[in-house]
Amino acid sequence: MDRIEPSNESSSASSSSSSLSSTDIDNDTMMKQSSAATSKVNNTTTTTTTNTTTASANHAMEVDSEDDDDDLLQSNSNHEHEHNPNRDDHNHNHSHHQTQATNDIDRHTEHTEHTHANGNTPTTTTTTTPPQSSASRSQSDEFDVEITEEDYESIAIMIDELMKDDPAIRIKAIRSLPIISKALGAERTRSELIPYITQMIDDDDEVLLVLIEEIYRLLTLKLIGGHCTVNNRYAFCLIPPFERLCQVEEKIVRDEATLKFGQIIHDMPYRQYPSYFEQYVLPLFKRLCDCEYHTSRISGATLIANAFSKFTQLLNDAQPQAPAQAAETETDTETGAVEDTASLCTRLQRYKSEMRDLLCELCTDNIPIVRRSAIITVGKIVSVLHDKQEVLQHYLPLFKKLANDDQDNVRVFAVDTLIQFSHILSPQEVKEHLIYHIRLLTCDQAWRVRYIASDNFINLCAMLDTRTVRDAMVSYFIKLLKDNEPEVRAVAISKIPGVAKLIGVKLSIETLIPIICDKLIDDKNKYARASLASIIIPFCYLLPHQIVIDKILSCILRILKDEYPNVRLHVISNICAESECVIEDKDKDKDEDEDADDDEEMIEVEVETEVIDEVEVMVEVDEHGNEIELDATQLSMPCMDGREHKLVTRKRKRMEKRVEKRRMRGMKKFDISQLEEAIIPSIMELTLDHDWRVRLGIIEKFPALAKQFGLQFFTERLFSLCLASLEDNVADIRLAAASNLYQIATVFNASQRDQFAWTKEHLIPALIDKITTSKHYLHRIVYL
C-alpha cells in the first residue's frame, strides 16, 4: 500500500505562496467528456447547494439569538473586535495564482489550436462507466464527468471567474470546482487547488456557504484521491480551508462549516494510520482551542465531540475482543509496525484524555458562548459513553460546574445535557448526584431556563423512580404551574397529562385538579388559557367519570365561554380527537393497573345517595279517621273539636352526599357525551366569529364532531350550521364546508343499511332547496 503523504504537505497547503499551476496540465491524467456533462454537474451542484443553504438557516435557530451573544461579548472581549490576521485579504496572492492557472490552461489551448491548424483534429475519448452497486453508492457519489480538450478554455474561464467582483459569478464558478479538480487530477488538487481556494475564504456569507458544500464534495466525489469517503487517507488536505471557515464570525457559515468538518474528522482513518490523529487532528484542536478568537474556540469545542465519538466507537469495538483475542495484532499501514489490541486501546484512551484536557480548558473560558458550546459538547460526549465510572469521574464534575454558571445563556443548555446522563446512570444514582441540579434548574431565576426545564419536565421525571417523582418532582411542577412568566406557565400546563400518567390518579386528584380549578382556569394570559384548553379533555380521559363530572366539568363549560375564540376552538378540537385518546388510554391501562399499589388503586369519590329515615311525628285524627301531620306551630295550639292527637312513625327520603373509596378498575371512564349540549353554543359562536381563520378551524372539525356524537345529534343540531357555512363570505370556508359535507356523508352512509340513505333523505334535498332560493352565483357554484 502507498505510504501516506508527509505532514509538511498539509502545512504547504496553507502557505500563501502556493500556486495553482506552475507547469502545463498533464494531458494523460485528464479524463475527457462532452460539454453537456458540465451543465449536468452544475445543475446537480445547484440543487445540493440550495438544500445546504436551507439546512444551514434551520440549524442556526437556537434559543439564544446572535444579538444576545454579541451583548455578552461586548464586556468580555473588546480586543476580539479586531480582524483576525488569518483572515487578511490576499488579493495579491490571488492575482498571482489566477494568472498562473489561466496561463496553464491558455498554453494547452494554444497547443490544441496549433494542432487544429496542422490538420490534426483532436479526438474525444468517451469512457463508459459501469453501473454502481448499491453498496458503493452508499459510501460516496461517483463523479463520472469527463473533460475533453475543447473544455480547457471553459475551465480557464471558471478559474478566472473565481475572482470576479460579482458574487453570483463567483458562486457559479465555485460550483464548478469538481470540474476544475477533475481536470487537474487528485495530486494537483491536493497540492495546488485546495491551497488556492483556501485563500478565497474572506468572502461574502452566501459565497462561503456554497464554498463549504463544494469543498466537502471534493471528498465525497473522491476528487482528492482515495477509494472511498470514509477512512480516506487524504482527508487531512481539507483541514486548512475548513479551519479558516470555522473561524468566521457569521454564525450560519461557522455552523455549516463545523457540521461538514465534523463529519470529515469523524470519518478519518485513525485505525488504519495510528499517527493520523497526533499528526493532523490533535494539532488542529490545539490551534482552535488555544486561539485568542472566541469563534475558533467555539468550533473547537464542537469538533471535539465528533472525534470523541469515533474513538469511543473504535474502543467499544476493540475492548470486547481484548480478553479472548489478546494475541490479535494489527499492522500500521503507514509504518508497517504491528499493533496489538491492548496497544490500540491504550492509544485510543490517550487520545480521549488529550481531548478531555482541551475540553476542561474550554469549560473555564471567560467568554459565555464558549462555555455554552462546551456544555453542549459534554452532553454529546456523555451520550456516547458506556463507562459509568468515566462519566462520574470526569464529566459529571464538568456538568455540575457549568450548570451553576452565572450566565443563563450557559445554564439554558444544562437541561438537555443533564438528560443525556439518563442512559448510563440508574434512577438511584440520578437521585444521588443530579436531583439537586434538577431542582435548581426548575427554580432558576432566569425564565428561559425554567421554560426549557418545563418543556423537558417529562424527560426529567423519566430519569427518576416513581416514588421520587411523587415525593419531589410534583412540588417542582406545581411551582412551574404557578410561575410568574406566562410562557413558562403555558408550556408547563401542556405537560399536565404526561405528569398525571406518571404520578397516578390519586395524586392527580389531590394536587393537579385543585390548581386547575382554582388558579389556571382564571389565568389572565390568553395563551396560558389556550394551553389549558388544549389539554383539559385528554386530562379528563385519565380520570374516572364521576371525578370529571364533580370537579372538572364546570371548568370545561367555563372554557367554552371564554372570550378568546382560540381557547374555545382548542377544547372542541380535543373533543374531536376523543377516539384516539380512548384507544391510547386502553392500551396503557393494563400496564398502569399492574404496576399500581393497592392503596393507589383506591380513590375517594363524592357520591350522592338516597337515604330513607324513620321519624316520629304528631298527627291529628279528624272525624273521618284521616291523619293530619302537625307542625311545631300547630302543636302549641289547643286541640279543636276534641280531635285525637297521637305519635306515629313516618318514612322520610333525602339525598346524602358522602365520600366513598372505590377501586380504579371498577370505575367508568370519562364519557364525552356529557358535553353534547354544552358545546352547541360555543360552536355557533365560533361559526359566526369575525375572524375567518377561526370560522375555518371550526368548520374543519364538523366531520369529526359528526363521527363523535352520531347521526341524530348532528342532523338536529349541526346540519343547519354546515349548510350556512356554504354561503360564507370567504371562498376558502365555502370550499372547506363543501368538502366536509362529502366526508360527513361518507361517515353516515357507512353506518346505515342503505348505503346512501342519509344523502338521499337529508343532504340532496337540502342542497336543492338552497340552489332554488339562492340569489348569488358563487353560492350556487358551491352547491353544485
Side-chain angles (χ1 to χ4, degrees):
M1 179 178 292
D2 297 336
R3 294 173 57 83
I4 192 168
E5 297 185 18
S7 58
N8 57 6
E9 180 175 333
S10 63
S11 61
S12 64
S14 60
S15 174
S16 61
S17 62
S18 299
S19 61
L20 178 61
S21 177
S22 59
T23 58
D24 292 336
I25 298 177
D26 188 358
N27 296 336
D28 295 335
T29 61
M30 291 187 178
M31 301 181 64
K32 300 172 180 147
Q33 189 191 22
S34 63
S35 300
T38 304
S39 60
K40 171 185 174 182
V41 174
N42 288 338
N43 293 336
T44 305
T45 311
T46 303
T47 304
T48 306
T49 306
T50 304
N51 296 336
T52 304
T53 306
T54 304
S56 303
N58 295 334
H59 183 69
M61 299 297 293
E62 295 182 352
V63 176
D64 301 292
S65 65
E66 193 67 23
D67 294 338
D68 295 338
D69 296 343
D70 295 338
D71 294 339
L72 292 169
L73 290 172
Q74 185 174 3
S75 60
N76 294 311
S77 57
N78 292 329
H79 63 282
E80 295 193 11
H81 289 284
E82 300 176 359
H83 292 288
N84 190 337
N86 294 329
R87 306 171 195 167
D88 290 340
D89 190 17
H90 299 280
N91 291 333
H92 59 285
N93 290 332
H94 286 175
S95 302
H96 178 66
H97 300 325
Q98 176 187 350
T99 303
Q100 290 191 4
T102 307
N103 291 339
D104 288 343
I105 302 298
D106 290 343
R107 283 197 297 270
H108 189 85
T109 305
E110 293 172 0
H111 174 72
T112 304
E113 294 174 352
H114 180 70
T115 304
H116 280 281
N118 294 334
N120 300 326
T121 304
T123 59
T124 301
T125 305
T126 303
T127 304
T128 303
T129 304
Q132 272 188 300
S133 64
S134 59
S136 61
R137 282 197 303 268
S138 63
Q139 290 183 350
S140 63
D141 300 330
E142 282 293 339
F143 190 73
D144 55 357
V145 174
E146 299 176 356
I147 308 299
T148 63
E149 295 183 359
E150 290 79 3
D151 293 329
Y152 296 152
E153 184 177 355
S154 299
I155 294 174
I157 295 175
M158 294 175 192
I159 298 176
D160 182 68
E161 289 178 345
L162 289 174
M163 299 304 301
K164 293 292 184 181
D165 294 334
D166 189 355
I169 297 178
R170 293 202 303 275
I171 290 175
K172 181 180 178 181
I174 290 173
R175 287 172 177 165
S176 303
L177 281 179
I179 300 176
I180 299 174
S181 175
K182 194 72 173 180
L184 294 175
E187 182 177 353
R188 296 191 64 187
T189 296
R190 296 193 302 269
S191 61
E192 299 178 24
L193 178 61
I194 293 179
Y196 178 74
I197 60 179
T198 302
Q199 313 293 330
M200 303 169 47
I201 289 177
D202 190 11
D203 209 328
D204 297 335
D205 297 339
E206 61 270 19
V207 178
L208 293 181
L209 289 173
V210 178
L211 184 62
I212 290 170
E213 180 65 24
E214 295 306 323
I215 295 176
Y216 184 72
R217 277 165 52 83
L218 294 179
L219 174 64
T220 58
L221 298 176
K222 298 177 289 188
L223 295 176
I224 61 173
H227 302 289
C228 60
T229 303
V230 180
N231 296 328
N232 192 313
R233 57 184 293 196
Y234 300 111
F236 70 90
C237 69
L238 299 179
I239 290 179
F242 272 109
E243 182 178 357
R244 292 194 61 188
L245 287 167
C246 289
Q247 297 175 4
V248 298
E249 294 183 1
E250 180 57 41
K251 187 175 184 299
I252 296 178
V253 178
R254 192 172 65 248
D255 289 346
E256 181 66 17
T258 53
L259 179 65
K260 298 293 186 183
F261 197 22
Q263 186 62 41
I264 294 174
I265 290 176
H266 182 275
D267 294 338
M268 284 183 175
Y270 302 111
R271 188 161 188 170
Q272 292 81 354
Y273 303 96
S275 62
Y276 209 95
F277 177 77
E278 294 177 337
Q279 189 174 2
Y280 300 111
V281 181
L282 183 59
L284 167 69
F285 287 165
K286 290 182 178 180
R287 290 194 302 270
L288 292 175
C289 296
D290 295 338
C291 183
E292 62 176 329
Y293 299 97
H294 70 279
T295 54
S296 297
R297 301 198 295 273
I298 292 173
S299 300
T302 304
L303 295 174
I304 284 175
N306 298 97
F308 196 96
S309 62
K310 180 60 176 290
F311 293 142
T312 303
Q313 177 184 348
L314 294 176
L315 198 59
N316 293 336
D317 294 341
Q319 282 180 341
Q321 303 174 2
Q325 302 178 8
E328 183 180 352
T329 60
E330 293 188 1
T331 303
D332 183 350
T333 55
E334 180 179 0
T335 62
V338 177
E339 182 182 30
D340 57 15
T341 305
S343 301
L344 173 64
C345 295
T346 303
R347 176 168 60 87
L348 295 176
Q349 290 288 3
R350 187 177 73 255
Y351 294 166
K352 290 171 59 177
S353 177
E354 291 172 344
M355 288 187 291
R356 184 170 60 247
D357 294 339
L358 294 174
L359 182 61
C360 291
E361 295 179 3
L362 296 176
C363 290
T364 59
D365 197 274
N366 60 344
I367 304 297
I369 56 177
V370 177
R371 300 198 299 273
R372 182 183 69 181
S373 182
I375 195 172
I376 295 174
T377 300
V378 170
K380 293 179 181 179
I381 289 176
V382 171
S383 65
V384 300
L385 287 175
H386 300 284
D387 187 353
K388 183 183 299 185
Q389 188 61 34
E390 182 180 359
V391 171
L392 294 175
Q393 181 179 354
H394 298 293
Y395 298 102
L396 184 60
L398 292 179
F399 166 76
K400 290 182 177 180
K401 181 176 182 179
L402 293 171
N404 294 324
D405 196 274
D406 58 347
Q407 294 287 335
D408 63 320
N409 193 28
V410 179
R411 297 196 305 274
V412 75
F413 289 91
V415 178
D416 292 330
T417 301
L418 188 149
I419 294 173
Q420 301 302 326
F421 287 88
S422 61
H423 84 284
I424 196 168
L425 300 181
S426 65
Q428 186 62 33
E429 291 170 333
V430 172
K431 180 180 179 181
E432 179 182 353
H433 297 287
L434 296 174
I435 188 65
Y436 171 74
H437 295 280
I438 293 176
R439 182 181 68 83
L440 289 181
L441 293 172
T442 55
C443 304
D444 196 274
Q445 61 181 355
W447 74 269
R448 292 188 298 177
V449 180
R450 299 196 304 273
Y451 179 92
I452 299 298
S454 301
D455 194 30
N456 292 275
F457 196 84
I458 304 300
N459 294 330
L460 294 174
C461 291
M463 300 175 64
L464 300 165
D465 58 274
T466 304
R467 184 169 297 277
T468 305
V469 172
R470 294 173 178 174
D471 293 344
M473 298 297 288
V474 172
S475 61
Y476 305 156
F477 187 65
I478 296 299
K479 290 181 180 179
L480 293 172
L481 292 175
K482 297 179 180 179
D483 197 272
N484 294 329
E485 297 294 334
E487 291 85 358
V488 178
R489 291 199 305 274
V491 72
I493 289 171
S494 67
K495 306 300 176 182
I496 286 180
V499 174
K501 293 177 183 179
L502 293 174
I503 65 178
V505 175
K506 181 179 179 181
L507 199 56
S508 298
I509 295 173
E510 295 175 356
T511 58
L512 299 181
I513 290 181
I515 192 174
I516 290 175
C517 299
D518 299 339
K519 185 175 179 62
L520 300 181
I521 192 65
D522 296 322
D523 198 294
K524 296 181 180 180
N525 186 270
K526 61 183 180 180
Y527 299 107
R529 297 198 307 274
S531 181
L532 177 63
S534 65
I535 60 93
I536 191 74
I537 298 299
F539 180 58
C540 290
Y541 286 118
L542 302 174
L543 303 174
H545 181 76
Q546 190 62 42
I547 295 294
V548 175
I549 296 301
D550 294 341
K551 300 183 178 182
I552 302 183
L553 184 59
S554 60
C555 297
I556 297 176
L557 298 179
R558 289 179 61 183
I559 293 175
L560 289 172
K561 298 178 182 179
D562 195 276
E563 61 181 359
Y564 187 49
N566 282 342
V567 175
R568 304 193 298 271
L569 188 59
H570 279 310
V571 176
I572 297 175
S573 300
N574 281 278
I575 290 175
C576 298
E578 177 268 343
S579 57
E580 298 179 3
C581 295
V582 170
I583 293 173
E584 182 181 358
D585 185 66
K586 288 181 179 179
D587 293 338
K588 297 184 178 180
D589 272 348
K590 297 180 181 179
D591 298 334
E592 293 178 359
D593 290 340
E594 292 175 359
D595 298 337
D597 299 331
D598 292 338
D599 58 337
E600 292 170 350
E601 292 182 356
M602 303 294 296
I603 61 172
E604 294 182 350
V605 181
E606 187 181 83
V607 295
E608 214 176 56
T609 57
E610 185 180 87
V611 179
I612 300 177
D613 297 329
E614 292 184 354
V615 296
E616 290 184 347
V617 297
M618 182 67 70
V619 297
E620 183 181 70
V621 182
D622 62 7
E623 61 274 11
H624 301 289
N626 297 324
E627 296 180 350
I628 302 173
E629 185 175 337
L630 302 176
D631 56 20
T633 58
Q634 292 174 332
L635 288 175
S636 60
M637 297 176 62
C639 180
M640 298 176 60
D641 302 332
R643 292 181 180 181
E644 177 185 3
H645 287 189
K646 64 179 181 179
L647 288 172
V648 296
T649 302
R650 295 283 177 88
K651 293 183 179 181
R652 296 282 192 267
K653 292 182 180 180
R654 63 183 177 86
M655 300 303 295
E656 183 181 63
K657 291 183 179 181
R658 67 174 185 271
V659 177
E660 292 183 355
K661 286 188 176 182
R662 294 184 178 180
R663 289 185 176 273
M664 271 291 301
R665 296 181 186 179
M667 298 188 68
K668 188 175 78 168
K669 290 292 183 181
F670 172 61
D671 185 7
I672 196 66
S673 61
Q674 295 287 332
L675 299 177
E676 285 183 0
E677 296 298 329
I679 68 172
I680 292 299
S682 295
I683 293 176
M684 296 182 65
E685 292 178 5
L686 291 172
T687 53
L688 301 175
D689 194 89
H690 67 279
D691 189 348
W692 71 270
R693 294 178 181 84
V694 176
R695 299 199 304 273
L696 179 61
I698 190 63
I699 291 298
E700 292 175 344
K701 304 300 178 185
F702 277 3
L705 289 171
K707 185 177 181 180
Q708 174 62 47
F709 293 113
L711 173 61
Q712 182 178 356
F713 176 82
F714 180 84
T715 304
E716 295 177 356
R717 310 303 299 273
L718 299 179
F719 185 49
S720 59
L721 293 177
C722 280
L723 295 177
S725 300
L726 295 172
E727 300 179 354
D728 196 275
N729 295 330
V730 179
D732 288 345
I733 295 179
R734 296 196 300 269
L735 296 176
S739 176
N740 287 339
L741 282 175
Y742 171 76
Q743 300 179 37
I744 294 169
T746 304
V747 171
F748 289 154
N749 290 335
S751 62
Q752 295 181 320
R753 293 183 179 179
D754 187 355
Q755 185 176 2
F756 303 103
W758 185 82
T759 302
K760 292 185 292 185
E761 296 175 5
H762 296 87
L763 181 58
I764 293 180
L767 293 177
I768 293 175
D769 183 63
K770 287 284 186 179
I771 292 175
T772 55
T773 59
S774 177
K775 298 181 180 180
H776 202 299
Y777 78 97
L778 291 177
H779 298 168
R780 295 195 296 272
I781 291 175
V782 174
Y783 296 142
L784 292 175

